[in-house]
Amino acid sequence: MSSLPELTRSIRPTWAEIDLRAFDANVDAIVSRLPDGVRLIAMLKADAYGHGAVELAKRCMTRNVAMIGTALLEEALELRRNGITLPILVLGPLKEPQLRIALDHDIILGVPGPEELEIVARVAKERDVAVHLKIDSGMGRMGSVETELPRVAELIRSAPRLRVDAMYTHFANAGDTADPFTNEQLARFNTLVETLREAGIDAPRHHAANSAATMRGITPGDFVRTGIALFGAAPLDREATRLQPLLRWRTEIARLKELPPGHAIGYGTTFRTKRASRIATLPVGYADGYDRALSNKGEVLVRGKRAPVVGRVSMDLVTIDVTDIADAALGDEVVLLGSQGSDEIAVEELAAKLDTITYEVFCSVSARVPRLYTDAHDARIRTRFDA
Ligand SMILES: *Cc1c(COP(=O)(O)O)cnc(C)c1O
């Protein structure tokens, strides 16, 4: 295994460090707060919210994780190709050919409605099929609604080799502790499960909780499905319940120049220096997921201090004002997201600035940004440009 300087010598000095020990600690912290008999499904869709699903799934194999959840079949197959042997549940809608491929790779299907169930029931005439059945308890998106349950029951009865391992639902607003909708959804889920039971359809397991519900101790059934909490972002709207952040996105000062007052900076000349200024250019841009909406708005950390983004964020470059950081020098580390010294650009801060949620900020860090995985023994880097 190469040492860090050697790994990073051939690439632009912009990468996202992912702390695998923090991930382990977060998994353990979530597992430890679950009641007896409730187990963790680690949601690693969208490349583990940008953190890298393969690396994190490998860590899940060393811990008390029951299952991994993805949105896409492709995501599940990537995990299988990389030696992940944990059960994998695909929660997004699948078309028939995908569904057959999923079964060939021992991937469990989340069935979002009667249309997909019809295909599954047909396939289950030839082979054993295990599914988790999604119930819409109020979100109006995926899952079968009450009026569809007779058809759902009929389809399941018609397919003796179809095994419904679990029924599940998803909360729309569990992050808001004041909203009674979560409890209403839970009651509705229980009612619909009971309706199916009366129609002769039962499942041995149930699950509903996302990160927000899990952190609130609302963990009905046999599994929780947590995503965002595993990555150390706060899942609740108002309380600071976050675990440890894993991701630290850093770059370096690539150019540093003195500019006189009145000098323009960047496309559209949206910024002009008001004083004699030291302007640093960073080798990162919106193509890397540093949002263009952070133009003249974002802040980054240099030598543990905040420096403002000045001018427009370009595709490959960002300019910052380091006039007030007297010792800032060429090659200094610059943190875009995460901590440096005693300060931190938290994902919650960036999300608020961008008028979005932490999930989108994580998912925005593009595939062009290499991920550098570190643990106690090891550092290795994954880039799109690997041979
Ligand atoms: C993404 C997802 C989760 C995890 O949500 P978090 O808020 O990240 O914990 C749980 N269930 C379903 C169906 C999902 O799509």
Side-chain angles (χ1 to χ4, degrees):
M1 192 56 60
S2 322
S3 65
L4 181 57
E6 194 180 321
L7 284 163
T8 53
R9 202 172 292 157
S10 63
I11 62 170
R12 173 183 63 153
T14 299
W15 59 81
E17 296 166 0
I18 313 289
D19 183 346
L20 295 171
R21 282 167 303 177
F23 180 72
D24 293 348
N26 292 350
V27 169
D28 294 349
I30 288 170
V31 168
S32 74
R33 58 196 297 155
L34 297 177
D36 281 350
V38 179
R39 300 197 61 203
L40 173 62
I41 300 175
M43 292 301 300
L44 302 183
K45 63 194 181 201
D47 204 22
Y49 301 26
H51 291 70
V54 169
E55 292 292 334
L56 298 192
K58 285 181 184 163
R59 304 301 277 208
C60 288
M61 301 223 305
T62 71
R63 320 209 82 74
N64 188 7
V65 173
M67 215 177 284
I68 290 171
T70 70
L72 310 188
L73 172 64
E74 302 87 296
E75 294 170 344
L77 293 176
E78 182 190 29
L79 297 179
R80 282 282 180 263
R81 260 200 319 279
N82 284 279
I84 304 301
T85 52
L86 280 169
I88 303 177
L89 174 62
V90 175
L91 293 170
L94 299 183
K95 301 178 70 155
E96 180 163 353
Q98 294 183 293
L99 196 146
R100 290 179 182 274
I101 294 169
L103 294 172
D104 289 342
H105 289 84
D106 196 21
I107 288 161
I108 305 163
L109 309 168
V111 175
E115 298 81 5
E116 196 160 316
L117 187 60
E118 198 175 308
I119 303 169
V120 168
R122 194 171 345 113
V123 173
K125 294 205 159 63
E126 312 145 22
R127 60 192 292 181
D128 295 327
V129 179
V131 300
H132 288 203
L133 186 70
K134 177 115 188 222
I135 306 290
D136 183 354
S137 61
M139 194 162 170
R141 197 180 62 173
M142 300 271 279
S144 296
V145 293
E146 185 170 23
T147 52
E148 293 168 328
L149 293 188
R151 172 108 185 96
V152 164
E154 185 188 309
L155 284 166
I156 295 171
R157 274 196 300 269
S158 75
R161 295 179 74 177
L162 175 61
R163 210 177 67 223
V164 181
D165 281 349
M167 295 182 192
Y168 68 106
T169 195
H170 192 45
F171 293 133
N173 201 25
D176 182 351
T177 52
D179 189 347
F181 196 61
T182 302
N183 284 328
E184 290 165 23
Q185 277 195 273
L186 197 49
R188 179 128 197 92
F189 179 52
N190 289 332
T191 303
L192 296 181
V193 166
E194 188 52 39
T195 303
L196 280 171
R197 193 171 293 138
E198 282 161 11
I201 305 301
D202 212 346
R205 311 223 184 282
H206 300 85
H207 48 100
N210 56 4
S211 291
T214 302
M215 296 313 257
R216 289 171 63 184
I218 303 174
T219 60
D222 305 275
F223 301 107
V224 296
R225 304 185 307 270
T226 63
I228 197 75
L230 293 172
F231 311 115
L236 300 186
D237 297 350
R238 276 185 286 272
E239 288 162 51
T241 49
R242 67 171 210 185
L243 301 173
Q244 299 178 46
L246 328 181
L247 186 148
R248 187 172 174 277
W249 187 9
R250 55 85 75 202
T251 181
E252 290 174 10
I253 294 178
R255 279 236 60 199
L256 185 58
K257 59 173 72 167
E258 312 272 348
L259 292 179
H263 201 291
I265 297 184
Y267 287 118
T269 64
T270 61
F271 185 89
R272 280 184 189 275
T273 53
K274 288 170 198 65
R275 53 179 178 170
S277 301
R278 299 178 79 218
I279 302 297
T281 304
L282 313 178
V284 65
Y286 62 74
D288 301 298
Y290 196 77
D291 202 306
R292 191 165 171 278
L294 294 167
S295 300
N296 291 308
K297 196 169 174 187
E299 288 183 333
V300 300
L301 298 175
V302 183
R303 300 199 173 218
K305 299 197 184 82
R306 284 178 180 247
V309 171
V310 290
R312 288 238 174 101
V313 172
S314 308
M315 186 182 290
D316 312 298
L317 299 167
V318 169
T319 35
I320 61 172
D321 185 343
V322 293
T323 313
D324 297 325
I325 306 174
D327 43 0
L330 197 68
D332 274 2
E333 182 194 70
V334 177
V335 169
L336 309 168
L337 171 57
S339 55
Q340 187 192 56
S342 56
D343 203 352
E344 180 189 9
I345 308 290
V347 67
E348 291 83 6
E349 174 186 333
L350 266 188
K353 226 167 233 183
L354 291 165
D355 196 20
T356 184
I357 52 175
T358 57
Y359 302 67
E360 191 183 14
V361 174
F362 282 145
C363 288
S364 300
V365 182
S366 84
R368 194 169 80 165
V369 178
R371 273 39 173 195
L372 175 78
Y373 294 93
T374 58
D375 66 20
H377 316 291
D378 207 8
R380 63 196 167 278
I381 200 152
R382 272 180 189 256
T383 88
R384 259 181 63 193
F385 308 106
D386 284 347

